[in-house]
Amino acid sequence: MVVSVVAKLFSLSISWWLLCYPWTNVRGEYFSSVEQMRQLLKLEQGLIDNLDRYIKLHEQKIEFLHRQREWFGKELKEGLKQDVEYTSNPMSAFLLVNRLVNDWERIRVFMELDVGVKLQNNTEMPTSEDVVGVAEGLARLQDMYQLNTKDMASGKLLGRKIGRQLKTAECYEIGNKLTTATNYRYAVSWLREALRLWTSESPGISKVEIMNSLSYALSQQGEYEEALELTKKVLKMQPDNQRALKSKEPLEKWIVYKQEYGLPPPVPDADYKNYPSLCRGDYQRSNKEIAKLRCRYEHKRTMFLRIAPLKMEELSHDPFIVVYHEVLHDKEIAMVLDIAKPLLQRSMVGDDVSKKISKTRTSNNGWLDDVMHPIVRRITRRTEDMTDLAMSAAEQLQVGNYGVGGHYLPHHDYAVPEEGKEAYPAVGKGNRIATVMYYLSDVAIGGATVFPELGVSVFPRKGSAIFWYNLHANGTIDSRTLHGACPVFVGSKWVANKWIHEYGQEFRRPCQVDQNA
């Protein structure tokens, strides 16, 4: 690692400087979007270019920097071969963000020691929040897809070799970041792996550091006995270790308390029924459930479809859920993405009054109005043909991109306002009667849209769209439309949502007394 080498070289009091503009560590968020993560590869390329110019000026004194440049360049080369897979792979994504937040920062400090020029960078740098965000995405994937820490550290995911063996210090960093995120369960597993990999030749980290961190994570899980055992081992190795000395007595007291009173029951996880098994593809509907479902050409909804019918696959009759295949072409998708990318911001949850950023939804999105481009208007017209619903009551097209382990926990698209208040007052067109979601990319692994109450799962297929009603025929909410976006394992998931509201649909979908009519 860079740490120990830099520490030794600092003491030489080298009078070097670096290139031109001050380094600015601006707050930026990258982990919530693979598209944003891809930009980090370009950022790292720029940093390497600047480092090259510095090397030419000081070749006689930069043997250390040559070695670091070779290492950074090797990692970057691997990333540029398949940038989407590299930045969506939780292991390589963590290493990339950690390099930019920590290793490059150490290089910057080293190069500015008694120098005169600074490392040029005009791009927002990722922050420690991004490192923690990627680590959380990694743990989310482990939990959802039941992944083994040892296999992940070796670069294996679901039997595929998609990365290199992680170093001891890298496993330690992941464990520490998960501790910061209070995800102690997976922090323990990564710190155990760091301890298993540690040897006296492991650079950048001591065995004592790993043991102290593991002891703390275990104590937060209520495993006080093992935590105390580790602390005692640390004190045998280093009798004056302050962290271990401060931990020993509290751990002994917690063990006594645990023996007398036990531990409080753990907080139960939210029950989303089949959500995990549907995401993994484990749950399958019975033959009886799918026997009446058909694939056919839809040509009755509008006059236009009589000359250009759509390929429709039925997923559920009640509630009505279908997939339309090949409704967007690659060129159309490319145009939409070109418009949307500059507009991406962190996705929020909640209604118009109480929108906020939440860990239940890790993605970026941008909104496209019909007036922005003909392609947006074309998609709106196509949505009307698919649904036979009036677009005068539709929201703008929302384009979204999911990050590392990006997901959206099960939720409903309709609102449940307080009595006497209107749903989505900022829109002013009633509740969301229906949803159309276009898939703008394929996803190598993961990223399915699932309906836990119905046992329905739809895996992304570029150019297709899923359509469903959120309300019964009488206008009441249909709770069975609970749906979620599964974590993206490998790949970049792009979607576009069109939410359609009630007003103006009186003659398109007349209200019925019977909700099942």
Side-chain angles (χ1 to χ4, degrees):
M1 295 295 285
V2 177
V3 192
S4 59
V5 182
V6 170
K8 293 176 182 177
L9 290 174
F10 271 10
S11 63
L12 299 178
S13 300
I14 303 171
S15 297
W16 298 347
W17 267 136
L18 283 186
L19 301 170
C20 306
Y21 297 105
W23 179 285
T24 54
N25 187 14
V26 183
R27 177 184 176 87
E29 180 179 279
Y30 290 88
F31 73 89
S32 60
S33 167
V34 169
E35 180 58 31
Q36 299 290 72
M37 292 290 298
R38 290 179 65 199
Q39 304 311 310
L40 299 185
L41 294 172
K42 296 178 182 178
L43 168 59
E44 189 163 28
Q45 180 69 67
L47 293 171
I48 289 175
D49 291 343
N50 288 332
L51 186 53
D52 282 339
R53 290 193 290 271
Y54 178 84
I55 289 172
K56 290 179 182 178
L57 294 173
H58 304 277
E59 285 186 351
Q60 69 280 16
K61 296 181 179 180
I62 54 172
E63 181 183 350
F64 163 70
L65 292 176
H66 269 303
R67 290 199 301 269
Q68 295 307 311
R69 192 258 179 255
E70 183 180 352
W71 179 55
F72 290 146
K74 181 180 178 181
E75 292 290 330
L76 178 64
K77 185 177 180 181
E78 285 298 312
L80 292 174
K81 285 180 182 177
Q82 292 181 305
D83 59 350
V84 172
E85 184 165 327
Y86 186 89
T87 53
S88 64
N89 174 356
M91 312 307 301
S92 53
F94 179 86
L95 296 178
L96 170 63
V97 178
N98 194 57
R99 281 201 307 276
L100 289 166
V101 172
N102 295 315
D103 293 343
W104 274 103
E105 171 64 11
R106 295 182 186 110
I107 288 288
R108 179 191 71 82
V109 172
F110 172 69
M111 294 171 75
E112 291 180 5
L113 261 186
D114 299 323
V115 205
V117 239
K118 297 184 179 181
L119 190 62
Q120 179 180 350
N121 171 51
N122 297 320
T123 305
E124 285 189 348
M125 290 293 291
T127 66
S128 57
E129 181 181 334
D130 284 294
V131 184
V132 172
V134 175
E136 288 183 299
L138 186 153
R140 190 182 307 122
L141 290 170
Q142 279 191 267
D143 186 54
M144 180 62 67
Y145 298 110
Q146 301 176 342
L147 304 175
N148 179 272
T149 299
K150 184 178 178 180
D151 288 342
M152 295 186 75
S154 69
K156 294 179 182 177
L157 295 177
L158 296 179
R160 293 175 54 182
K161 184 72 175 177
I162 61 173
R164 62 169 173 80
Q165 170 69 55
L166 295 188
K167 300 173 183 177
T168 303
E170 291 167 341
C171 292
Y172 173 75
E173 280 293 325
I174 294 174
N176 262 358
K177 293 302 180 289
L178 289 173
T179 297
T180 300
T182 67
N183 190 329
Y184 301 111
R185 174 187 171 190
Y186 287 103
V188 166
S189 71
W190 280 100
L191 292 169
R192 286 193 195 280
E193 183 62 14
L195 192 59
R196 187 187 72 82
L197 292 174
W198 187 89
T199 69
S200 58
E201 298 179 355
S202 297
I205 190 69
S206 71
K207 189 175 184 179
V208 164
E209 288 179 275
I210 299 173
M211 293 171 71
N212 271 332
S213 295
L214 178 55
S215 175
Y216 175 77
L218 284 166
S219 70
Q220 298 304 303
Q221 287 281 91
E223 302 293 335
Y224 304 117
E225 295 83 359
E226 187 178 354
L228 180 61
E229 192 65 29
L230 282 167
T231 298
K232 288 179 178 178
K233 288 180 180 179
V234 168
L235 291 172
K236 282 185 179 180
M237 298 164 65
Q238 292 183 1
D240 61 345
N241 186 280
Q242 291 300 304
R243 184 173 179 182
L245 287 170
K246 291 178 181 178
S247 301
K248 185 172 179 293
E249 186 177 347
L251 285 172
E252 290 171 339
K253 290 181 178 179
W254 273 113
I255 289 172
V256 173
Y257 180 91
K258 181 179 177 180
Q259 291 171 344
E260 291 184 7
Y261 304 104
L263 293 175
V267 178
D269 295 329
D271 182 16
Y272 295 121
K273 294 189 176 180
N274 296 322
Y275 176 60
S277 58
L278 285 167
C279 286
R280 292 192 295 268
D282 294 342
Y283 180 86
Q284 300 293 331
R285 288 190 287 176
S286 67
N287 291 333
K288 182 179 180 180
E289 290 178 287
I290 63 177
K292 296 182 179 180
L293 302 177
R294 298 286 185 271
C295 292
R296 55 188 169 86
Y297 281 100
E298 173 58 68
H299 60 276
K300 296 180 180 179
R301 284 188 177 273
T302 64
M303 295 294 290
F304 178 75
L305 293 187
R306 294 185 180 183
I307 59 173
L310 295 172
K311 297 177 181 178
M312 189 179 80
E313 176 185 356
E314 299 173 347
L315 299 179
S316 171
H317 290 155
D318 184 23
F320 182 77
I321 306 174
V322 297
V323 171
Y324 290 104
H325 294 281
E326 300 175 2
V327 292
L328 287 180
H329 306 299
D330 288 351
K331 288 185 178 179
E332 293 175 320
I333 291 172
M335 292 173 69
V336 170
L337 296 185
D338 285 343
I339 300 168
K341 285 177 182 178
L343 305 175
L344 293 178
Q345 295 182 346
R346 178 65 191 269
S347 302
M348 307 181 85
V349 299
D351 56 24
D352 301 316
V353 180
S354 59
K355 285 185 177 180
K356 61 181 181 180
I357 290 175
S358 170
K359 291 183 180 181
T360 65
R361 186 185 190 187
T362 48
S363 64
N364 278 17
N365 64 42
W367 296 85
L368 309 187
D369 197 348
D370 281 2
V371 299
M372 294 175 68
H373 196 279
I375 185 61
V376 185
R377 294 192 290 276
R378 192 187 309 168
I379 291 174
T380 298
R381 288 196 301 270
R382 199 164 301 167
T383 304
E384 183 166 2
D385 288 330
M386 291 164 57
T387 63
D388 195 24
L389 295 174
M391 293 298 103
S392 58
E395 298 179 36
Q396 296 178 358
L397 186 69
Q398 185 200 71
V399 178
N401 178 236
Y402 288 81
V404 179
H407 76 312
Y408 194 174
L409 287 177
H411 61 283
H412 294 99
D413 282 353
Y414 57 72
V416 183
E418 296 178 12
E419 189 172 349
K421 293 187 177 181
E422 182 184 6
Y424 299 102
V427 179
K429 297 179 180 179
N431 218 334
R432 287 173 172 170
I433 191 173
T435 297
V436 176
M437 183 168 67
Y438 293 92
Y439 292 113
L440 307 182
S441 68
D442 294 313
V443 177
I445 307 176
T449 303
V450 301
F451 295 78
E453 299 282 347
L454 306 170
V456 172
S457 58
V458 184
F459 286 85
R461 182 176 294 179
K462 186 178 181 181
S464 63
I466 181 172
F467 164 53
W468 70 89
Y469 288 112
N470 297 301
L471 308 180
H472 289 292
N474 64 355
T476 58
I477 60 175
D478 191 341
S479 62
R480 297 171 299 173
T481 60
L482 180 78
H483 61 284
C486 301
V488 177
F489 199 150
V490 176
S492 181
K493 180 182 177 182
W494 286 93
V495 297
N497 294 298
K498 195 75 173 174
W499 287 296
I500 306 163
H501 290 254
E502 295 175 281
Y503 296 179
Q505 313 300 346
E506 293 83 0
F507 299 104
R508 303 290 187 105
R509 195 192 189 210
C511 185
Q512 305 288 336
V513 175
D514 181 2
Q515 69 175 23
N516 297 315

